[in-house]
Amino acid sequence: MEKKRILAPMATLSHEAFRRLIARFGGCDEYFTEMINAPSLLNAGPWEKFYLMAGPEPQKIVWQLTGNDAHKMGEAAKILASLDGIGIDINMGCSAPQIAKTGAGIAWMLKDIRETERMVRLVKKSIEDCGSKKRLSVKLRLGSADFSRERLFDFCKMLLENGVQMLTLHPRTQKQKFREKADWTAVEDLAHQFPKIPVILNGDVTDVRSFQNALLTAPSCAGVMIARAAAQKPWIFAELSGTLQNTKIDMEALALSFIDDVETFQPEEFWKTRLQRFFAYFCTNFSFAHYFQTLMLNARNNDDARNRIKFYFFFRCPSDKIKLFGN
């Protein structure tokens, strides 16, 4: 069976402008959105409509929901269940201190399991009460440093018993950083434990070689979710599927088109942070990556960013303008 290729949920990145960039190279099987905060969604904040944009392929959207209150998570799920897309994903994997300390993200794995179970039941009930057939999934980590395989399996068993239909595992503990290699064997163990549902591998897949190695280590996984590498190389899903042969990419035009799409699909208040986050990764493609990153980090506004791309970087580094993929 063909393994799914999925875009990960990334704060300030997995928005419609970025998805359109991915779609230019053929897209992927599923696009997870940025984390949608349940209380903000229920309060109809001024920017929530931008988080609910589903383009350019609404049928492939998965809405990722976060929050620290079971009731609000359930109420917010009612809104998401009425939208386009594949399903709703509960974030139980974010270990950023500003998220976990509020009781959201990975905190759901560490609370009294009865509280987490209640939240999952409320979200599932909201989906069913709306008459929606949307899939309910959970993205999670290995838990805390002392979170054993047995505890992970018990936790996931509870999720499945309460209606969760897919799991995505980022196989690092709460405090492990990216410099420590993701434990792909944990994904294989989880997939073996629960063979009737899809288990997705997330972590350290950055190119064809790592993709192949991940599937050799976890052949029972149903697919691979990619995060930061997609921001560095928006063409990575095409690369993994082998459709980039004899392809020429105008990197200057690509960078400029992303700015145009950010202006179209993001509020002005978000423009600066969205550009900074994307270019922090995208600029690593180039021979003077740090110079390019510094240029973009310090751009005063979007027009200044465009000028820096055209006249400060590619005018001075013309050999970096075109990226070629051979046979």
Side-chain angles (χ1 to χ4, degrees):
M1 182 180 294
E2 185 74 15
K3 305 293 185 181
K4 283 191 174 184
R5 297 164 175 83
I6 299 172
L7 179 66
M10 293 176 282
T12 72
L13 265 177
S14 298
H15 46 74
E16 179 160 343
F18 182 61
R19 294 194 297 269
R20 286 180 176 272
L21 194 57
I22 300 292
R24 287 194 182 115
F25 298 97
C28 57
D29 294 309
E30 298 184 13
Y31 301 88
F32 278 51
T33 66
E34 296 182 81
M35 292 185 293
I36 298 170
N37 183 271
S40 298
L41 182 61
L42 293 172
N43 291 333
W47 296 305
E48 295 314 301
K49 64 181 180 181
F50 296 97
Y51 288 95
L52 299 183
M53 286 183 167
E57 299 183 271
Q59 74 279 12
K60 294 183 179 182
I61 285 289
V62 179
W63 306 101
Q64 196 184 61
L65 183 62
T66 188
N68 61 6
D69 179 272
H71 176 73
K72 290 179 179 178
M73 291 282 282
E75 290 300 303
K78 293 178 182 178
I79 298 173
L80 299 179
S82 68
L83 304 177
D84 290 326
I86 295 170
I88 296 173
D89 184 77
I90 301 173
N91 184 311
M92 295 189 191
C94 183
S95 61
Q98 64 270 28
I99 300 295
K101 286 180 180 178
T102 69
I106 197 171
W108 286 108
M109 295 187 71
L110 310 177
K111 297 177 183 182
D112 185 316
I113 197 167
R114 291 169 296 184
E115 184 179 353
T116 304
E117 183 175 24
R118 175 173 173 266
M119 181 271 289
V120 175
R121 283 180 176 173
L122 287 172
V123 172
K124 182 67 175 179
K125 185 176 186 300
S126 291
I127 295 173
E128 293 175 342
D129 287 351
C130 291
S132 172
K133 297 186 181 298
K134 282 189 170 55
R135 182 187 71 201
L136 177 60
S137 61
V138 169
K139 187 173 185 292
L140 68 165
R141 283 190 171 230
L142 293 178
S144 58
D146 61 350
F147 210 84
S148 65
R149 286 281 205 278
E150 289 72 22
R151 284 187 65 193
L152 176 66
F153 295 159
D154 287 344
F155 183 83
C156 291
K157 182 173 182 288
M158 176 277 291
L159 296 177
L160 271 57
E161 287 174 345
N162 288 281
V164 171
Q165 298 156 286
M166 187 178 90
L167 298 171
T168 300
L169 180 62
H170 181 91
R172 289 183 173 94
T173 63
Q174 179 182 13
K175 294 187 177 180
Q176 281 181 314
K177 305 300 181 185
F178 290 119
R179 63 179 176 271
E180 299 180 58
K181 184 168 174 54
D183 182 6
W184 294 333
T185 65
V187 178
E188 180 66 6
D189 291 345
L190 188 64
H192 264 295
Q193 187 73 16
F194 302 107
K196 293 184 178 180
I197 66 154
V199 174
I200 306 299
L201 180 151
N202 172 227
D204 289 351
V205 174
T206 59
D207 53 24
V208 172
R209 176 176 291 183
S210 57
F211 177 68
Q212 293 171 341
N213 288 339
L215 296 184
L216 285 172
T217 306
S220 302
C221 76
V224 171
M225 177 180 282
I226 297 178
R228 295 169 296 154
Q232 179 193 2
K233 303 185 294 183
W235 54 85
I236 191 168
F237 296 105
E239 183 181 346
L240 298 183
S241 63
T243 59
L244 272 183
Q245 292 90 344
N246 299 316
T247 298
K248 180 172 70 173
I249 300 174
D250 186 328
M251 300 291 272
E252 178 182 346
L254 191 68
L256 293 172
S257 70
F258 179 72
I259 297 176
D260 292 343
D261 282 344
V262 166
E263 288 181 343
T264 302
F265 299 105
Q266 291 285 275
E268 186 172 353
E269 293 86 350
F270 288 8
W271 289 354
K272 185 172 184 178
T273 56
R274 272 45 179 174
L275 293 189
Q276 287 178 333
R277 183 81 188 280
F278 171 73
F279 283 106
Y281 294 111
F282 185 69
C283 290
T284 60
N285 288 293
F286 303 102
S287 51
F288 296 95
H290 181 70
Y291 168 64
F292 198 0
Q293 286 172 329
T294 302
L295 283 176
M296 301 310 293
L297 181 66
N298 294 313
R300 295 184 299 276
N301 52 47
N302 286 6
D303 286 337
D304 186 35
R306 291 184 176 97
N307 286 330
R308 288 168 183 247
I309 289 169
K310 290 186 285 188
F311 304 117
Y312 284 81
F313 187 75
F314 286 108
F315 180 77
R316 298 179 181 182
C317 305
S319 62
D320 277 332
K321 180 177 168 60
I322 303 297
K323 188 172 183 66
L324 296 170
F325 293 89
N327 290 320

